[in-house]
Amino acid sequence: MPREGDDFARSVFINCPFDPEYIPLRRALLFVVLDCGLEPRIASQRFDSGEARMEKIRSLIRMCRFSIHDISRLEPLRSGRLPRFNMPFELGLDLGCRYYGGAPLNTKQCLVLERKGSRYRRVLSDLAGHDISAHQNRPEILVAEVRNWLATVKPDLQSGSRIWERLNIFYSYLEPVLASRHYTKKEMDSLPAGEYIEAVKQWQANERAEEKPGTK
């Protein structure tokens, strides 16, 4: 059983698609969580061939007070393909952990994201009555929706427009850094989530170091 503490209270389980079309949204999602002072936890951060995926997911869910679930792949991306049910399944695991777990698991909170606000009702009617935030497949809207949700539990956050501006400043930093390490364009576009998170943290550390001499 996790103990209430800094790690649990600051951790956010990220349950989202991993297809190439979702990359801009996933990067925006990870950035806004980090820029709000929290720690994203995503399955692709932990690569261990000896760890079953379900055990990894269960472990991550239990260690996070907050969760963000994007269920926008309720229909196939292309004709002839099947929809992806991993995201709704992991949402169910997370809700079960909250409903049936003891303290501090019963303090867990989650945000459910979708492309359109009411579309989920056709396939996940059990979620009726829950607040669903729609991002319309636009990263800047996703940033605002996640920021506004986090603001209900974490006061004094910067505005969504400022976080979006900072994300674009970070992108202008990231590309030359990766280019200096001889990353190809394809490698930049497919940067693993764990490496992307560490790049954001390094940029944040650089910011703090630049601000320190001028602080009083």
Side-chain angles (χ1 to χ4, degrees):
M1 183 71 67
R3 294 176 298 177
E4 183 70 73
D6 288 344
D7 287 347
F8 177 75
R10 292 183 60 254
S11 293
V12 184
F13 174 61
I14 303 295
N15 170 26
C16 67
F18 281 89
D19 54 80
E21 291 86 348
Y22 192 80
I23 288 175
L25 291 160
R26 184 169 68 247
R27 290 184 171 182
L29 176 52
L30 293 171
F31 183 89
V32 65
V33 169
L34 287 161
D35 210 47
C36 289
L38 298 174
E39 184 69 31
R41 310 286 184 185
I42 190 168
S44 59
Q45 278 178 287
R46 286 167 45 171
F47 183 78
D48 179 359
S49 297
E51 182 180 28
R53 177 173 173 82
M54 184 52 59
E55 290 304 314
K56 181 191 300 185
I57 296 299
R58 287 175 57 192
S59 172
L60 290 173
I61 287 173
R62 288 171 63 86
M63 70 189 293
C64 299
R65 182 185 176 195
F66 304 105
S67 300
I68 299 174
H69 303 268
D70 191 327
I71 58 172
S72 57
R73 294 299 183 259
L74 294 174
E75 62 187 17
L77 289 175
R78 297 178 182 83
S79 176
R81 294 192 178 184
L82 296 174
R84 301 288 296 172
F85 291 139
N86 283 346
M87 281 71 71
F89 177 70
E90 291 174 23
L91 169 60
L93 288 176
D94 187 43
L95 291 176
C97 185
R98 171 181 174 179
Y99 294 149
Y100 302 117
L105 297 177
N106 55 9
T107 68
K108 287 169 62 66
Q109 298 181 45
C110 74
L111 171 68
V112 180
L113 296 170
E114 230 284 63
R115 179 167 60 87
K116 295 181 179 179
S118 60
R119 187 179 61 143
Y120 74 95
R121 294 175 184 168
R122 290 181 290 167
V123 291
L124 274 175
S125 57
D126 284 350
L127 279 180
H130 288 72
D131 291 331
I132 305 291
S133 295
H135 55 59
Q136 301 175 37
N137 278 344
R138 294 175 57 188
E140 66 272 28
I141 295 178
L142 182 148
V143 165
E145 292 292 338
V146 172
R147 179 267 171 205
N148 291 343
W149 174 66
L150 290 175
T152 64
V153 294
K154 200 171 189 298
D156 302 323
L157 294 180
Q158 298 185 87
S159 68
S161 59
R162 175 55 180 160
I163 295 173
W164 173 249
E165 180 184 12
R166 285 172 55 75
L167 173 59
N168 285 281
I169 293 171
F170 166 69
Y171 283 156
S172 67
Y173 154 87
L174 180 62
E175 186 169 345
V177 167
L178 296 180
S180 71
R181 299 173 186 169
H182 306 290
Y183 279 65
T184 65
K185 181 65 167 60
K186 182 178 180 181
E187 289 170 330
M188 291 182 190
D189 291 342
S190 59
L191 193 69
E195 196 170 347
Y196 177 82
I197 289 169
E198 290 306 312
V200 176
K201 290 181 177 180
Q202 184 59 59
W203 176 73
Q204 291 174 323
N206 292 346
E207 270 199 325
R208 290 192 294 270
E210 290 174 1
E211 292 171 358
K212 191 173 181 180
T215 59
K216 295 182 179 180

